[in-house]
Amino acid sequence: MSATEDSPPDWRDFSGDPLSPLLRSATQTFVARGYHGTTTRMLAAAAGMSVPGLYHHFASKQALIVAIMDAAMIELRERSLGALTEAGDDAGAQLDLHIECLALFHAHRRELALLASTELRSLDPTERDHHIAARDAQERMLVDILQRGVDQGVFTVDDARQLARALATMSTGISQWYSPAGPLTPADIAASYIAYARRLTS
Amino acid sequence: MSATEDSPPDWRDFSGDPLSPLLRSATQTFVARGYHGTTTRMLAAAAGMSVPGLYHHFASKQALIVAIMDAAMIELRERSLGALTEAGDDAGAQLDLHIECLALFHAHRRELALLASTELRSLDPTERDHHIAARDAQERMLVDILQRGVDQGVFTVDDARQLARALATMSTGISQWYSPAGPLTPADIAASYIAYARRLTS
Amino acid sequence: MSATEDSPPDWRDFSGDPLSPLLRSATQTFVARGYHGTTTRMLAAAAGMSVPGLYHHFASKQALIVAIMDAAMIELRERSLGALTEAGDDAGAQLDLHIECLALFHAHRRELALLASTELRSLDPTERDHHIAARDAQERMLVDILQRGVDQGVFTVDDARQLARALATMSTGISQWYSPAGPLTPADIAASYIAYARRLTS
Amino acid sequence: MSATEDSPPDWRDFSGDPLSPLLRSATQTFVARGYHGTTTRMLAAAAGMSVPGLYHHFASKQALIVAIMDAAMIELRERSLGALTEAGDDAGAQLDLHIECLALFHAHRRELALLASTELRSLDPTERDHHIAARDAQERMLVDILQRGVDQGVFTVDDARQLARALATMSTGISQWYSPAGPLTPADIAASYIAYARRLTS
DNA sequence: TATGAATGAGCGTTCATTCAT
DNA sequence: TATGAATGAACGCTCATTCAT
């Protein structure tokens, strides 16, 4: 995601991939068949390894999905914070860049995002709680931006909470239908969704 | 859903339940744990029956989820057609009632809708193809309404297909967060979403 | 072991078998290969069942060996108490009957006794503690008898504790070499061991 | 066991250890968990080596236990022969020293002796046959001594074979309960057991 | 010599499903 | 109609062992 771990990564740059080949293939299989519908033999075959080879890298099937979901959570959080920082204090700019960030992420990281929302239920209780908290914090960012815009007098919004949910599910929905083979680029989609967000707040 | 099977049901009336008690409890379990994460023992226990008792009513675990997904598909289709009929020829009215219909369905039939979108992958190939086609047809209704509004000159829309997907995922997203214990009624939500749709088409 | 559960069983009567056929065959296999060297497939094959058939009767391989070891412990305890009751207050009679009881048990219940001593280490911690306590209580019976004989002035014994261990291991050793195909009956062996015990206490 | 390999070792001297550190730690682990309950990882960890390091010294887990059991068998045989040689022709002296030898060995070589008796079943068939033959030869030594004493008219024994088994299991039993932390030294125990043997043969 | 990484085979256990009763 | 008992197949995982380095 960036040249060095220390330098702040560009939240618009998706040229890298935060997942190792094993986690990448596991993500695809988990998305296609679900956590419980995926066997360790499938995961091994998809990664071109033997089953014990899998266990050499991860302690369990659960550890695999936890690693994937951690990666998803961390990447989205860091990108969102990057967008917020770039936006400065203006709520309008914050909304634009936040929506751009969500749209880019859910298009570029289609499978990762799908998995993160679908398989929360397959996590062990402790991990599940952790990820639910992270998801809630992520969703609060958008509520806060909307509320800030209302306070600043730049947004016309009835119920910030409700609109935040509409905008959020609209954006996460991208990963349900986006295909890199389609006519739209992630940037195209982001531009449209920014326009939607502006209409819904004015 | 209606007093008799023949009379046209009211698409706003959710007082009935299209699912038998067995299918209703199965839906809850499938939503909570996923198709592959649910065992027939869980389904039997949730329904208060023995495992062979389950097989008396349904030929297999697969037949159970197919029945549930068929019910979801049929109910949404019939309600959508009911809304369209009531709306008449005006694209603006069609959009309002279609969005109202989607919002009401995804709030009132929260679990059914969640299952229908999440567990498509768990269906046997033939059934999956059938339901994917039905889902696509369902989504096309909204595209057609938007296009009709553009053609009638009452909507200002750049890309009808893209906006349809945004409106659709926004609406289906309701079933991801709606709770009957929350402050909003399904009708409240529908009203908000109609307003969102209007803003996005003007 | 007795006609009815309530009537006190005869501690010399080994015509019955406290183990079900499944537990009996499992005992043989565990003795022959050890707990960890025995697979559930072996146990199922030895019992003429399928593997899930095994799990229909017992929750786990561990539950099987626990049931066997419980049966061994309970049977030896009840027989020992029966012998003690029959002996009355005389320490000489108590020693005779206790040794007879140990000899008969370790000959008649050869495999059960072997298993109970060898596989203590294979029990889960809680069960292990329970059985170690029971074994210690069993061994204390002999120490107490010897001490009583010393107190009554009928035994000439240097160190009751040490002699008790010698007599006990000598007796449990029977199950290491006894074979029903050999020339000696359990009663023959018991008679000899009573004589040994008398010599060692006079 | 002795300063040089050629000089006859003192059968009462247990200051040395016939086992290499690796075999010693393996013996402890095998005793604690059984052959099949012990993994090569446990063996390596107990010896402070890596698993392949283990295989550098021994071709297999089986080779390890065979080496241990060979050492046990050889040591007991050599010590027994040493005791017999020292005893000369008198059956009474032979019995005393043989019992002393057994007692010392089963106290000093507690774990080795336990392993040798418990894990015969875990040996490959060829090795098992070999060790069973060695064990039988070892046991015959005691039978022969008793018979010699009867023939010489110095022992009063009904059934030499049976008494030999009682004396043998009594002695091997020492390794089941002896602890160096306890109040008795191996020499104490040996003295007691010699006294027991005398009582049982007079 | 020593080891991190790998694997075929098999472990204890559970699955969806069936059938005698 | 309902179920206690059963099972072939497959589950997640670990085993003893190997080999490139």
Side-chain angles (χ1 to χ4, degrees), chain D residues 54-118:
Chain D
L54 217 69
Y55 281 86
H56 177 71
H57 298 288
F58 289 89
S60 65
K61 184 179 151 185
Q62 176 73 203
L64 256 166
I65 203 176
V66 165
I68 296 168
M69 301 202 63
D70 280 350
M73 179 191 80
I74 290 168
E75 185 179 358
L76 180 55
R77 182 168 56 202
E78 296 200 345
R79 289 182 187 276
S80 300
L81 292 175
L84 199 61
T85 301
E86 182 183 321
D89 293 334
D90 176 39
Q94 287 179 359
L95 181 61
D96 282 2
L97 298 199
H98 189 76
I99 293 292
E100 181 182 3
C101 177
L102 288 179
L104 291 178
F105 181 79
H106 286 90
H108 280 293
R109 298 285 186 255
R110 208 189 135 265
E111 294 183 319
L112 199 53
L114 270 180
L115 195 68
S117 71
T118 315

Side-chain angles (χ1 to χ4, degrees), chain B residues 116-132:
Chain B
S117 70
T118 314
E119 297 296 351
L120 264 179
R121 66 185 174 200
S122 304
L123 295 179
D124 287 345
T126 308
E127 286 295 334
R128 179 163 57 233
D129 291 348
H130 180 200
H131 277 85
I132 287 176

Side-chain angles (χ1 to χ4, degrees), chain C residues 4-177:
Chain C
T4 72
E5 274 195 29
D6 303 320
S7 76
D10 179 358
W11 60 271
R12 284 189 184 88
D13 177 16
F14 287 86
S15 58
D17 190 325
L19 297 183
S20 67
L22 166 53
L23 290 182
R24 190 157 48 244
S25 70
T27 302
Q28 289 166 5
T29 312
F30 280 141
V31 167
R33 339 223 6 162
Y35 179 72
H36 290 294
T38 300
T39 71
T40 52
R41 280 153 187 84
M42 289 175 192
L43 293 170
M49 340 173 92
S50 65
V51 171
L54 217 68
Y55 280 86
H56 184 73
H57 298 288
F58 289 88
S60 64
K61 184 178 149 183
Q62 175 75 204
L64 258 167
I65 203 177
V66 166
I68 295 169
M69 300 202 63
D70 280 349
M73 180 191 78
I74 290 168
E75 185 179 359
L76 179 56
R77 181 170 54 202
E78 297 200 343
R79 289 182 186 276
S80 299
L81 292 176
L84 197 62
T85 301
E86 182 183 322
D89 293 334
D90 176 40
Q94 287 180 359
L95 180 62
D96 282 2
L97 298 200
H98 189 75
I99 293 292
E100 180 182 2
C101 177
L102 289 179
L104 291 178
F105 181 79
H106 286 89
H108 280 294
R109 298 286 185 256
R110 209 191 134 264
E111 295 183 317
L112 201 50
L114 271 181
L115 195 66
S117 70
T118 315
E119 298 296 350
L120 264 180
R121 67 184 173 201
S122 305
L123 295 180
D124 286 345
T126 307
E127 287 294 335
R128 180 164 55 234
D129 291 348
H130 180 201
H131 276 85
I132 286 177
R135 183 202 56 186
D136 292 348
Q138 179 68 37
E139 292 181 359
R140 229 172 297 125
M141 287 185 66
L142 184 50
V143 179
D144 290 347
I145 290 172
L146 291 180
Q147 192 56 53
R148 207 171 296 133
V150 170
D151 295 344
Q152 293 178 359
V154 298
F155 293 163
T156 307
V157 166
D158 256 15
D159 181 338
R161 221 186 193 78
Q162 213 185 156
L163 179 58
R165 283 199 279 242
L167 286 170
T169 53
M170 190 174 85
S171 301
T172 58
I174 292 169
S175 55
Q176 290 168 30
W177 55 262

